[in-house]
Amino acid sequence: MFKKILVPVDLAHIEAIQRALSTSADLARHYGAEVCYMAVTTSTPGTVARTPEEYEYKLEAFASGQEAVHGQKTSSRCINSPDPTADLDGLILKSIEAVGADLVVMATHLPRHLDAVMPSHGDRIASHTDVSVFLVRPA
């Protein structure tokens, strides 16, 4: 049913997205799908890496680690952006097409009143693509 699962990640907040990571691994194992971990970084130094190249290396290592733990094939896609927060939705949508994903698994927050004015990233992705989007809320 699914062949490639795109999972947007933020290496600075891996502990906050553990449920989405487990869900994507379970779905990949069930369907024999590949998981592509996608991340957006800036060219300025951050808490995870000082350069986009270092961030990409760490993302590749993360994907390899997930493959070793869960046993499914993985890949990674690192994108450099001057403003990751503003560009995130568009970059996820472009990544869906670029990697040929047929499912997106994303961590999301619990609903709040502000969502009526500013929808979540997952809500925007689901309404702007024809692939399935699985939003995973925290426990």
Side-chain angles (χ1 to χ4, degrees), residues 41-55 80-81 84:
T41 187
T42 66
S43 47
T44 58
T47 58
V48 174
R50 294 174 303 169
T51 65
E53 296 78 19
E54 183 182 0
Y55 196 97
N80 187 14
S81 168

Side-chain angles (χ1 to χ4, degrees), residues 78-98:
C78 188
I79 302 169
N80 187 14
S81 168
D83 189 352
T85 304
D87 297 339
L88 185 62
D89 295 341
L91 294 173
I92 291 173
L93 291 168
K94 287 179 183 173
S95 293
I96 291 168
E97 294 216 14

Side-chain angles (χ1 to χ4, degrees), residues 64-128:
S64 294
Q66 292 295 301
E67 183 170 339
V69 170
H70 298 290
Q72 80 276 354
K73 183 178 178 191
T74 64
S75 60
S76 62
R77 178 175 170 82
C78 188
I79 302 169
N80 187 14
S81 168
D83 189 352
T85 304
D87 297 339
L88 185 62
D89 295 341
L91 294 173
I92 291 173
L93 291 168
K94 287 179 183 173
S95 293
I96 291 168
E97 294 216 14
V99 303
D102 48 14
L103 174 65
V104 179
V105 176
M106 296 179 69
T108 189
H109 57 76
L110 295 173
R112 26 177 218 218
H113 296 295
L114 185 59
D115 291 341
V117 179
M118 294 177 52
S120 68
H121 293 291
D123 188 28
R124 281 188 235 137
I125 298 306
S127 64
H128 287 88

